[in-house]
Amino acid sequence: MTEANSERPVRHLLGLSGGKDSSALAIYLRDRIPEMEYFFADTGAELPETLEFVDLLEDYLGKPIVRLNAGRDFDYYLKLHNNFLPSPQQRWCTINLKLIPFENYVGDDEVISYIAIRADEPSRVGYVSTKPNIKTRFPFKEDGLNKDDVTQILESCGLGLPKYYEWRSRSGCYFCFFQRQEEWLGLKKHHGDLYELARQYEKADEETGKRYTWNQSGSLDEIVSRAEKKASLPRKQTSKVSKKLIDNFSDEDDDSDSACLICMR
């Protein structure tokens, strides 16, 4: 007798972060793989611009984008971790809010997972599941598409880039600890309420004097103060500088993106 699992067709899955690359890949594959399933792991700490863009993308794709993590957001897992903030060394947020929900969504089904790593990112591998029922493909790499191609895909379909790229170089939670100081300053300027919430997560132990902050280089107020001072200095360059952080930083400026590709593509 044939087992039920062997009768089910292979599922094609594409995870969306609200970032440019995964969104462009969804558009690129929409007509090539009509049976594609799209999902978005909502951490409960997304930027408004991210949620808005995911809604726009859902309309363009013409099929639902499944939202994961219903009822269990960042604050839920923060309590489980005794209110210790995540860090590059302890990325429990990525594990609990991205990786585990994805593998639970897959279950035991045979799946092909499509990852939005481009041809001009030779050193990046992204998140590849070790589960034997999950196979991985990299269509942009396979077809030789680069960063300019991604931008062209988004512009030609009418969606363009998500609005947060005006002041931020990546998607992810509004308090993501991989942000540069300029991006924290951008959060304060564009979403003062979210910046204040991020500040409230930071704590200090009165007995030991130890501080629990989003960044090892200091509190958010200290980081933003340095960013404001840097921004006030005259620029010593002749070439025109774009107002968009996405244009001012290359993907190789730091390797933090590779640590959380499942969050930030």
Side-chain angles (χ1 to χ4, degrees):
M1 182 176 178
T2 304
E3 293 183 359
N5 280 350
S6 63
E7 297 176 354
R8 291 201 293 261
V10 174
R11 296 170 65 190
H12 298 262
L13 301 183
L14 199 165
L16 298 163
S17 67
K20 65 182 185 342
D21 292 332
S22 63
S23 299
L25 183 60
I27 295 165
Y28 184 68
L29 297 178
R30 184 189 68 169
D31 298 326
R32 291 174 171 84
I33 307 177
E35 65 271 31
M36 185 74 78
E37 299 177 45
Y38 307 98
F39 67 91
F40 171 64
D42 190 343
T43 64
E46 308 294 337
L47 290 166
E49 295 96 325
T50 300
L51 298 176
E52 176 186 355
F53 193 78
V54 170
D55 287 342
L56 292 173
L57 184 60
E58 185 173 52
D59 289 340
Y60 183 86
L61 295 173
K63 61 193 312 183
I65 296 174
V66 176
R67 272 66 167 180
L68 307 183
N69 296 327
R72 294 190 174 186
D73 59 8
F74 175 83
D75 287 334
Y76 172 87
Y77 289 105
L78 180 63
K79 291 179 181 178
L80 289 184
H81 287 81
N82 297 315
N83 291 317
F84 283 100
L85 295 177
S87 68
Q89 294 74 37
Q90 297 291 331
R91 265 174 278 140
W92 57 255
C93 52
T94 302
I95 295 171
N96 288 290
L97 291 165
K98 298 289 182 177
L99 305 185
I100 292 177
F102 165 66
E103 296 198 344
N104 287 342
Y105 181 59
V106 168
D108 296 326
D109 294 341
E110 293 294 323
V111 158
I112 299 177
S113 176
Y114 296 83
I115 308 297
I117 296 181
R118 308 184 308 265
D120 56 346
E121 300 178 297
S123 64
R124 299 191 176 189
V125 295
Y127 167 70
V128 178
S129 176
T130 58
K131 295 185 67 174
N133 58 309
I134 301 177
K135 304 297 187 293
T136 304
R137 286 191 62 183
F138 304 90
F140 284 160
K141 277 192 170 185
E142 294 168 12
D143 296 347
L145 273 65
N146 58 30
K147 187 174 182 178
D148 289 339
D149 295 315
V150 163
T151 301
Q152 176 61 29
I153 290 171
L154 292 171
E155 295 292 347
S156 63
C157 76
L159 288 179
L161 292 170
K163 293 179 181 178
Y164 59 76
Y165 279 124
E166 293 290 340
W167 56 274
R168 207 175 195 237
S169 65
R170 67 196 73 208
S171 59
C173 298
Y174 68 85
F175 46 56
C176 181
F177 41 80
F178 282 130
Q179 290 182 92
R180 302 174 176 90
Q181 63 180 19
E182 294 93 337
E183 294 173 293
W184 283 114
L185 177 58
L187 179 66
K188 183 178 181 181
K189 288 181 176 180
H190 291 269
H191 295 291
D193 56 334
L194 297 182
Y195 176 80
E196 183 59 31
L197 288 175
R199 285 182 70 252
Q200 292 175 14
Y201 281 111
E202 296 187 320
K203 305 293 181 183
D205 189 318
E206 295 181 357
E207 294 184 2
T208 64
K210 185 174 182 179
R211 298 191 300 174
Y212 299 92
T213 60
W214 290 111
N215 192 296
Q216 293 181 345
S217 66
S219 69
L220 290 190
D221 285 345
E222 292 167 344
I223 290 171
V224 166
S225 178
R226 291 196 293 269
E228 289 173 333
K229 290 180 180 178
K230 181 179 178 180
S232 68
L233 296 175
R235 293 186 181 276
K236 296 182 179 180
Q237 57 188 47
T238 57
S239 60
K240 185 178 180 181
V241 177
S242 171
K243 293 182 179 180
K244 297 181 180 181
L245 284 186
I246 188 176
D247 296 328
N248 296 335
F249 294 106
S250 72
D251 292 316
E252 289 72 35
D253 282 337
D254 67 36
D255 61 3
S256 61
D257 295 282
S258 61
C260 272
L261 278 176
I262 197 167
C263 295
M264 300 177 177
R265 302 309 290 174

